Amino acid sequence: MRALLLPWAEATLRAMPIFKIASCAAFASLALLSMGSIAQTSQSRALEDIAYQDCLSLVRRNPEEGFAQAQVWQSTGGGLAAAHCGALALVELKHYADAADRLELLLPLAEKQAPHLTVAILDQAANAWLLAEQPQRARQLLDIAVNAAPHQSDILIDRAIALAALDDHAAARADLARALSLEPTRADAYALRASARRQLNDPAGALEDAETALALEPRLPEALLERGILRLNIGDRKGARADLIQVRLIAPDSPAAVAAGRYIEEMDVKAD
């Protein structure tokens, strides 16, 4: 059956949490580097950490104000932390290409001041490029990130999403297999691999992965969507409808729910 929407992996990246990387504990150390001095007092470092967290909090509540605050902070010596907060505000404002550019521009400074954060910034820039519908650039950055951190499953999963957006489902499947060898209980990776296997005309493998994802996380909308599509493809309209309805009940505002609704509409049209 022809997909009615973008491949699930692409729809998923459009719903990715804006602070996927920023919320990691490692990024708190950006604030400690905002003035570029390692010999700061603990009180000064604490104040800068508070400033960074305050900036992120404002971006979540009001991204326009958060961006303005980040700009002012950067002009007064906020450094890497202020620039990073400003880039995240642009992601929240859906200025994805501008955000991706800014995140890339942070990399030389991060390599000097916080080399342990460069892979995370690469990953975040890549996700911004994905949101800007530039999967080729995202893939280039993720290739660098994977080479630097080959055992980080999140990076492999993100590269698989980029590869799926480029219609390279075989390479996506390979990255997801690597990610699952590192973290065998990642339901999201199984659901993504189910999508890749379906695109590669491996319905049995796709169904196995979808079922595994649901065994790990029974209410995972993307896994239910994949199983629903697979059931529909083999003529199990009752089972497909049950899965697709569940998707809409569990996550009514998600891209998966939109896709499920389209498949339900297609079934209803064919039934008339």
Side-chain angles (χ1 to χ4, degrees):
M1 176 178 293
R2 180 180 59 83
L4 298 177
L5 294 179
L6 293 167
W8 172 73
E10 293 183 60
T12 298
L13 73 90
R14 284 165 171 73
M16 280 192 295
I18 294 303
F19 297 94
K20 175 178 181 287
I21 305 297
S23 60
C24 294
F27 264 92
S29 63
L30 279 170
L32 305 184
L33 297 163
S34 61
M35 299 301 290
S37 172
I38 302 301
Q40 294 170 311
T41 66
S42 59
Q43 182 179 10
S44 174
R45 291 180 179 180
L47 289 173
E48 288 169 16
D49 182 51
I50 290 170
Y52 181 63
Q53 298 302 331
D54 283 349
C55 188
L56 291 183
S57 179
L58 182 56
V59 166
R60 292 185 181 98
R61 298 193 310 272
N62 188 323
E64 289 186 359
E65 289 187 11
F67 180 72
Q69 177 172 305
Q71 293 295 95
V72 171
W73 184 20
Q74 191 169 6
S75 71
T76 57
L80 183 59
H84 184 257
C85 185
L88 294 181
L90 289 172
V91 176
E92 181 76 345
L93 290 165
K94 303 188 190 310
H95 299 317
Y96 300 128
D98 193 3
D101 273 331
R102 287 173 181 250
L103 287 163
E104 283 200 58
L105 288 172
L106 290 180
L107 288 167
L109 184 59
E111 287 172 2
K112 292 179 181 178
Q113 294 189 358
H116 60 293
L117 296 179
T118 54
V119 168
I121 294 175
L122 275 167
D123 187 30
Q124 195 168 40
N127 278 294
W129 282 123
L130 282 169
L131 290 164
E133 300 184 354
Q134 297 292 329
Q136 185 59 50
R137 182 56 184 155
R139 189 260 173 89
Q140 292 169 349
L141 295 180
L142 288 164
D143 283 347
I144 297 169
V146 169
N147 286 336
H151 302 301
Q152 285 193 25
S153 57
D154 282 339
I155 308 294
L156 290 163
I157 291 169
D158 286 344
R159 189 170 70 172
I161 292 172
L163 290 164
L166 292 166
D167 292 325
D168 191 348
H169 300 289
R173 178 183 59 187
D175 270 356
L176 292 163
R178 286 177 62 187
L180 286 166
S181 72
L182 296 167
E183 288 191 74
T185 59
R186 287 288 295 262
D188 58 338
Y190 278 110
L192 278 166
R193 196 172 67 173
S195 178
R197 283 180 156 177
R198 175 169 59 82
Q199 296 288 346
L200 292 167
N201 297 314
D202 177 15
L207 184 59
E208 179 183 359
D209 277 347
E211 295 283 13
T212 302
L214 290 167
L216 292 166
E217 195 172 332
R219 292 170 60 83
L220 183 63
E222 295 79 13
L224 285 165
L225 174 63
E226 278 303 315
R227 190 174 68 179
I229 295 169
L230 290 161
R231 284 176 164 176
L232 184 59
N233 288 348
I234 62 173
D236 181 5
R237 296 170 64 86
K238 182 178 179 181
R241 184 179 293 275
D243 280 342
L244 296 171
I245 288 173
Q246 274 292 99
V247 173
R248 300 182 74 184
L249 291 173
I250 291 168
D253 299 322
S254 68
V258 174
R262 297 289 181 87
Y263 280 104
I264 291 170
E265 288 175 10
E266 184 176 274
M267 284 193 290
D268 291 342
V269 168
K270 289 186 176 179
D272 291 341

